[in-house]
Amino acid sequence: MTDDEATALREISTRVLWLSSAIVDAANRNRPNPSGVKVGGHQASSASMVDIMVALWFHELTHEDRVSVKPHASPVLHAINYLLGDLDPKYLRTLREKGGLQSYPSRIKDPDTVDFSTGSVGIGATASLWAAMSLRYLRSRSAAAPAAGRFVSLLGDAELDEGAIWEAIADPAVPSMGELLWIVDLNRQSLDRVVPDIQIERLQGMFAAAGWQVITLKWGRLISELFELPGGEELRVRLEAMPNEEYQRMLRVDSSQIADRILDGGGSDRLRALVRDLEPARLAAAIRDLGGHDLGLLTDTYSSAATNRPTVIFAYTIKGRGLPTEGHPNNHSALLTEAQMHDLAERCGTSLEDPWRSFSADSISGRLCSTRAELLKRPPLRPLPEVAVPTSLGHPYRKPTSTQAALGRLLADIPRDAPDLAPYIVTCSPDVASSTNLGGWINKTGVWSIADRRDWFADDTERILKWAELPTGQHIELGIAEVNLVSLLGELGATWSRWGHRLIPIGTLYDPFVSRALEPWSYGIYAGGQSILVGTPSGVTLAPEGGAHQSITTPSIGLEQPACTAWEPAFAQDLEWTFLHAMTQVGIPGGTSAYFRLSTRPIDPDLARLPEEPALLERRRLQAVAGGYRLTDHDPGSEQVTLVGMGAIMPEVTQAAQILENLGIAAGVVCLTSADLVFRSFQQRGERRPGTGGNIVETLFPQPYPTPLVTVLDGHPHTLSFLAGARGDRIRCLGVTEFGQSSSLADAYALHGIDAGSIVDAALGLLGR
């Protein structure tokens, strides 16, 4: 690095420190706030990241690289984007304002370039890893895939408390991913406190054990020169043995007191001479000279990181570096006063009256900003291909089958029946591929791996599941870690908007563990990832597995998740129709994710009473895709009670309807495929602007014919309770509200009151009989 480059980097770093602080200040002091609710921001957390990020953006990154920025450093990212001409200055005053800069980096909501949304602490940091894997998948399958750059994560040291971090780095594929570069802002503070003790050795060991190159930048070059002087080694040992709290306190005292604090524990004459002879100001600067604030050291380290395995850099920093709040244990959300902002402006060579001043175009800093802006400019995305997804594969289901088995058959048939669609599909599973019926698909497409691996069981004639691992495979197998599964799904589902390559990612897991994966799944959707998540088997229908493998609340989770459509079809044909429809919505602008709740219970397809006449069959398909259909031929006006079922419970619903008919009671039957879509249709009533729910609620529950309702599903009964509001009907909601136990299916349904007898009893109760 030349002297001019070093000077420019330091000038830019100083300006970014100011801009990031001013962005937060403008949001809190200069904006009307009639509600009195604090706006907030993180000036101190941003300050510790300034040098790390300036060294990256203004020296190291290329347009091929992608960076995940820790949530509380979003003002630094926006300040850098502003200097690079990627953010209109009108947004600099809009932090946490409607239509303005988001509180944390948001890939789909911020007005400037943000590679990863990182509001969920720990989750966003791992997203770069899964994005790297997604690009590897694309590159192994298409010569037209984009070039591979680095995938960088900037994370706070407190984020390493999150289990998602360790689940991600433990994945077997990760040690070979040399494109990963993680930089830990080791400022030794969390939200509430200075992190006690010294944990760096443990963290270093955990990354090293996972196959990572581990680099630690503790000291900058200024203080490292002092370490070479007589007494310098003793100074280094003294500083490194200090508890974090003692070091942080030393930052807060007057510079004239620092030598006394260093010598508080004694020391040799050489140490005493060294620290006493230094000017207090120089000693104060030296103890603040940490590796994460040495721009030259940072740039050298970035460029020398390994490329054959992932690298983590532990960069020691000071939280609030350069601010009046630096090192204070309560500086996390502390805001600088107006007087402090004036002082900071003076030290940074700017002013509070003209806070958004940039560099002149002919200055060395201005020229560097211009050069880097050109180098970081990304080429436009290629147009997305048209992918033909059939509405049906046309193979009738004649024997009893489960929706889980139907999914397996559907995927296995696609390479033959829809060959243009098949290349876009990628499946994932956390070690449950065979037990979620992906075997047929895997046998036809193979298991994806970074490199070919020998199949030692290829000559085993008794093997049913072929496990050929090769770079052209279309199934990605992960370990038993649901968080990893949904995190990868989110990034596979973002390739259309990140690189212009559409994928239709499908992940299967046991439905009880959807709750475990909920936060990263929701994060992926929020960040723009579109995918299909299949939870199977679900409910207490897998009765012998007992309470440990039941799911009660997942139907509501699916209904409540934004940008996602939840499905729970009962019949194999319904599954085929709705799943193919869900595929059309994935990997496109304005698309949505989908969640399917499936079962291992075989159901007789005759119960669905599919019409044979093509026009009526198509009508049934359209209703299934819209959310549900009526199974009985009753005129709705003649019904005395309507039974509403969803999913694997439909045999009991139809059985109960027949019992009621035998008692002379006209019982209608409604089969829901998606309570989610029916609820949207219900909500759309009375809206002044068109909604997305269609009018399926009117088809299923016509307004002129109010009728008592009995709803039943293998899940929590409140999921369908909203149907009482469709016409103001009296309602009984049946479902599962207690932990289950191992039993037969009949015993389980009777135990939870969702058997045919319980449905009949509920109907008779509503009718006063």
Side-chain angles (χ1 to χ4, degrees), residues 685-697:
R685 283 180 169 178
E687 287 192 2
R688 295 181 181 273
R689 54 186 178 181
T692 57
N695 201 31
I696 190 64
V697 72

Side-chain angles (χ1 to χ4, degrees), residues 313-556:
I313 299 172
F314 289 97
Y316 277 77
T317 63
I318 298 171
K319 191 166 183 174
R321 176 74 155 87
L323 305 181
T325 56
E326 71 173 5
H328 194 284
N330 302 124
N331 65 8
H332 183 79
S333 298
L335 298 173
L336 271 59
T337 65
E338 183 176 358
Q340 289 173 327
M341 286 297 296
H342 277 293
D343 290 342
L344 179 63
E346 186 176 348
R347 286 191 288 110
C348 293
T350 184
S351 73
L352 195 56
E353 290 71 29
D354 183 18
W356 316 124
R357 186 187 310 162
S358 57
F359 299 106
S360 61
D362 59 351
S363 67
I364 56 172
S365 298
R367 290 196 298 271
L368 180 57
C369 289
S370 177
T371 300
R372 294 300 299 167
E374 194 62 31
L375 288 171
L376 292 171
K377 188 178 298 182
R378 294 174 181 171
L381 295 179
R382 71 174 197 170
L384 288 173
E386 293 289 335
V387 180
V389 181
T391 58
S392 173
L393 297 187
H395 306 303
Y397 297 86
R398 304 194 185 281
K399 297 179 180 180
T401 188
S402 68
T403 48
Q404 178 179 299
L407 173 64
R409 171 179 155 177
L410 170 69
L411 291 173
D413 286 347
I414 282 177
R416 179 191 66 228
D417 295 337
D420 293 337
L421 168 64
Y424 294 93
I425 298 173
V426 52
T427 61
C428 308
S429 183
D431 199 38
V432 293
S434 57
S435 58
T436 54
N437 284 69
L438 295 183
W441 165 260
I442 291 172
N443 284 345
K444 291 187 177 182
T445 64
V447 177
W448 179 79
S449 93
I450 291 175
D452 284 320
R453 298 187 64 181
R454 182 172 179 178
D455 182 3
W456 291 96
F457 288 86
D459 59 349
D460 187 339
T461 58
E462 297 182 5
R463 187 177 68 166
I464 298 176
L465 178 62
K466 300 174 184 177
W467 202 260
E469 297 184 60
L470 60 167
T472 57
Q474 287 181 250
H475 173 77
I476 302 177
E477 187 76 0
L478 298 103
I480 306 174
E482 289 79 13
V483 169
N484 286 356
L485 168 76
V486 295
S487 297
L488 176 58
L489 281 180
E491 288 305 321
L492 288 168
T495 58
W496 68 274
S497 59
R498 199 183 289 287
W499 294 296
H501 287 255
R502 184 182 181 184
L503 290 175
I504 302 175
I506 301 166
T508 62
L509 79 167
Y510 293 160
D511 196 64
F513 307 134
V514 166
S515 298
R516 182 183 299 175
L518 181 57
E519 185 193 354
W521 177 48
S522 184
Y523 159 83
I525 295 174
Y526 168 77
Q530 301 167 10
S531 61
I532 299 175
L533 182 66
V534 179
T536 182
S538 61
V540 298
T541 298
L542 192 65
E545 290 283 354
H549 271 200
Q550 74 176 29
S551 52
I552 294 176
T553 61
T554 50
S556 295

